Amino acid sequence: MLDCNINEANIFRLIVTLLVFYKLKHNNNKFIQKNILLFIPLLLVLIDTTDSFFIKKIYKNNTKCTKTFDYQISDKILDSVSYIFLLFILPENNILKFFILFRLLGVILFYFTKNSQWLIFFFDFIKEYLVYLFIFGDNHVILFLFVLIKILFEFYFHTFHNKNNYKTTI
């Protein structure tokens, strides 16, 4: 049995998340503020890699720890924490709040059922939505098309690419 202690990696990621969002909230750089909707998704992707990077260093590039349910659920929970911190920076966007709560519901269902198919139905669209806002602003006419593309991607990822289904039916 593989011994994976992911607690240190989770704490490291949480600290990085807190520092990044604190700095972002208290940033007066006009360029960053003007392009915040592009910076946030980039930062979220970078933050998301910190725990797996940490684990790979501890376990000498052994990626088996990142394939465990414990790692996967902690990763989804920490993603959700990051998204909740995001509400302190963009508090007035109700569609963003919806996507965050929507994903959180999927993470909760994944936690209790160990079924990654919930992550298809309750897809993570936060980063994509922020980029959409940057490009299209409040014009939501083609948002459904981006949502459809994301659902297809999640279906592919969790059905064909991700071979770590913990249960196969809902």
Side-chain angles (χ1 to χ4, degrees), residues 7-163:
N7 293 334
E8 293 90 356
N10 289 339
I11 291 169
F12 179 72
R13 178 175 172 185
L14 186 57
I15 290 169
V16 169
T17 302
L18 288 168
L19 291 172
V20 166
F21 275 92
Y22 176 82
K23 194 70 174 156
L24 204 53
K25 176 73 174 168
H26 296 90
N27 185 350
N28 294 325
N29 184 301
K30 290 181 184 180
F31 179 76
I32 292 175
Q33 290 304 318
K34 180 180 177 191
N35 298 293
I36 194 95
L37 295 173
L38 282 182
F39 279 109
I40 291 173
L42 176 63
L43 291 171
L44 287 170
V45 168
L46 292 173
I47 289 169
D48 191 24
T49 63
T50 58
D51 53 351
S52 62
F53 176 79
F54 192 89
I55 288 172
K56 287 175 186 175
K57 289 298 176 192
I58 290 173
Y59 295 104
K60 313 275 190 272
N61 283 329
N62 185 345
T63 59
K64 290 180 182 175
C65 288
T66 61
K67 305 291 185 198
T68 64
F69 176 76
D70 288 341
Y71 172 79
Q72 292 297 318
I73 193 61
S74 69
D75 180 62
K76 305 300 179 265
I77 290 169
L78 288 169
D79 287 347
S80 298
V81 168
S82 296
Y83 299 151
I84 291 168
F85 289 157
L86 178 58
L87 293 175
F88 291 105
I89 295 171
L90 303 169
E92 298 176 12
N93 191 309
N94 289 329
I95 295 174
L96 179 63
K97 289 177 189 175
F98 167 79
F99 282 128
I100 291 170
L101 291 173
F102 183 76
R103 177 58 171 189
L104 187 57
L105 179 58
V107 170
I108 291 168
L109 290 168
F110 175 51
Y111 175 78
F112 285 111
T113 66
K114 293 186 178 181
N115 186 340
S116 64
Q117 290 181 358
W118 286 115
L119 303 175
I120 297 170
F121 299 117
F122 295 93
F123 51 92
D124 182 352
F125 193 69
I126 287 82
K127 295 177 283 296
E128 293 85 350
Y129 179 65
L130 294 173
V131 173
Y132 182 92
L133 278 177
F134 181 80
I135 296 170
F136 298 104
D138 289 330
N139 181 355
H140 295 101
V141 173
I142 60 170
L143 181 61
F144 76 93
L145 182 62
F146 285 77
V147 168
L148 179 62
I149 292 168
K150 181 63 176 190
I151 292 170
L152 292 173
F153 170 79
E154 292 293 335
F155 176 78
Y156 166 77
F157 183 78
H158 290 287
T159 304
F160 300 107
H161 179 71
N162 182 9
K163 301 296 183 188

